[in-house]
């Protein structure tokens, strides 16, 4: 009894410590938000793109007829893309909510892409999500990572952000960095380099999103609503009909790289390390069956490596907090 009680106290202590590190890293960024009509337009399912009266928020709806999405009015040559998002609740199996950058509509065979993809689940199981990076059409070299969250994303809004500069890419949740890709010469064209637009979508991915397609979208629970607010775009906007980059982009890039969200502080780096050790359940960097030699941007953490099998998935018994209590034009992938 004493040993069990001591173990429980240890688990509680380390869980509270992790939460403290995550929330301590969440000092607010200096972000200017914009109304929907100043930076975005409906992409598909126009009747399911529901804007607030003040145009500061927008809901994306999936029903039995269609999903929906919106897109930034401009392409961006690097940028910071951010929104507060609240995901659908209850039974959400088969649903994907995506917040991502891409230029696939312009460069069909050599597109770049940076993804947040939120994967729905059956009732009683929480949302999971994945991040991915493509450069120059490198779809055969996907760089997926999958994670659990330390909160229920359907209960309240949380901020999700993507920073893309000429030197690095950082994915943030509530100002906590969860993934960083640092550009290296060895990556070559696999590092995104062409102007991209920002997209947000909700769609039916019954064929892969939940347990490899075992659980489908059940429209008895429709409509499914993903809510977006406090939208932010900071970067060098490029008019889609222009063939050349604006001469002001180098100055804007310098401003972007000097912003507070462009540098990971020691406290944030500690929070990122803890998050990845506790909540990441798949990483391509540890998938040695798929990549016998890890891609050049991978930084192998011995603690993380010990917890993953050769498939990049968690080893049996590895501790993780699992929280158990219509198509988009975006390119998607099979369930890992």
């Amino acid at each position: 009894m004493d040993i069990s009680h001591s173990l429980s106290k240890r688990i509680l202590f380390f869980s509270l410590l992790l939460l403290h590190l995550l929330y301590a890293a969440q000092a607010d960024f200096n972000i200017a938000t914009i109304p929907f009509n100043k930076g975005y337009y409906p992409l598909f399912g126009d009747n399911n793109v529901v804007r607030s009266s003040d145009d500061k928020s927008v809901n994306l709806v999936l029903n039995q007829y269609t999903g929906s999405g919106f897109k930034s009015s401009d392409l961006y040559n690097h940028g910071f893309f951010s929104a507060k998002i609240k995901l659908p609740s209850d039974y959400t199996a088969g649903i994907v909510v995506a917040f991502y950058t891409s230029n696939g509509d312009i460069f069909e065979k050599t597109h770049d892409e940076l993804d947040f993809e939120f994967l729905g689940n059956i009732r009683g199981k929480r949302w999971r999500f994945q991040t991915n990076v493509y450069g120059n059409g490198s779809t055969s070299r996907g760089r997926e990572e999958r994670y659990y969250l330390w909160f229920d994303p359907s209960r309240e809004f949380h901020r999700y952000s993507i920073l893309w500069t000429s030197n690095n890419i950082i994915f943030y949740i509530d100002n906590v960095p969860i993934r960083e890709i640092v550009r290296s010469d060895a990556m070559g064209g696999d590092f995104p380099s062409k102007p991209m637009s920002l997209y947000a979508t909700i769609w039916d991915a019954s064929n892969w999103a939940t347990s490899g397609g075992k659980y489908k979208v059940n429209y008895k629970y429709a409509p499914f609503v993903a809510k977006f607010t406090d939208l932010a775009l900071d970067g060098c906007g490029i008019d889609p009909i222009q063939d050349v980059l604006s001469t002001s982009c180098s100055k804007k890039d310098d401003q972007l790289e000097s912003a507070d969200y462009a540098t990971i502080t020691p406290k944030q780096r500690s929070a990122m390390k803890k998050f990845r050790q506790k909540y990441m359940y798949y990483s391509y960097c540890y998938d040695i069956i798929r990549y016998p030699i890890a891609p050049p941007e991978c930084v192998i953490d011995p603690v993380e490596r010990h917890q993953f099998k050769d498939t990049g998935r968690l080893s049996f018994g590895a501790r993780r907090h699992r929280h158990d209590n219509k198509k988009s034009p975006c390119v998607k992938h099979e369930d890992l």
Side-chain angles (χ1 to χ4, degrees), residues 18-37:
L18 174 60
L19 289 173
H20 171 75
L21 286 170
L22 290 172
Y23 286 108
Q26 292 182 34
D28 287 340
F29 290 144
N30 182 21
I31 299 173
T33 61
I34 59 173
F36 186 87
N37 68 344

Side-chain angles (χ1 to χ4, degrees), residues 105-172:
D105 54 342
I106 299 174
F107 305 100
E108 293 184 7
K109 296 183 179 180
T110 60
H111 88 287
D112 306 298
E113 189 172 327
L114 302 171
D115 295 334
F116 268 113
E117 292 176 316
F118 304 94
L119 312 176
N121 221 326
I122 60 175
R123 179 179 287 155
K125 302 281 188 178
R126 299 291 180 90
W127 284 83
R128 299 153 299 135
F129 75 102
Q130 67 181 24
T131 61
N132 210 338
V133 175
Y134 295 117
N136 203 34
S138 58
T139 54
S140 63
R141 297 183 297 280
R143 290 168 160 84
E144 304 98 328
E145 291 187 347
R146 286 197 175 187
Y147 327 81
Y148 297 98
L149 288 158
W150 65 93
F151 54 83
D152 181 350
S154 68
R155 290 178 64 90
E156 56 189 13
F157 285 94
H158 290 269
R159 181 169 290 283
Y160 304 88
S161 308
I162 301 170
L163 171 70
W164 170 46
T165 75
S166 59
N167 299 313
N168 68 338
I169 297 161
I170 305 174
F171 292 86
Y172 283 99

Side-chain angles (χ1 to χ4, degrees), residues 35-51:
F36 186 87
N37 68 344
K38 294 297 184 181
Y40 314 88
Y41 66 91
L43 177 65
F44 69 103
D46 290 19
N47 290 335
N48 284 1
V49 179
V50 184
R51 293 152 63 174

Side-chain angles (χ1 to χ4, degrees), residues 219-244:
Y219 287 101
K220 179 179 73 174
Y221 299 99
F224 304 99
V225 182
K227 301 180 178 182
F228 296 75
T229 191
D230 290 352
L231 302 164
L233 290 172
D234 187 11
C236 188
I238 307 296
D239 190 316
I241 66 173
Q242 289 182 337
D243 294 327
V244 296

Side-chain angles (χ1 to χ4, degrees), residues 195-207:
M196 292 190 279
S197 299
L198 183 281
Y199 295 80
T201 58
I202 184 171
W203 55 289
D204 183 330
S206 290
N207 63 324

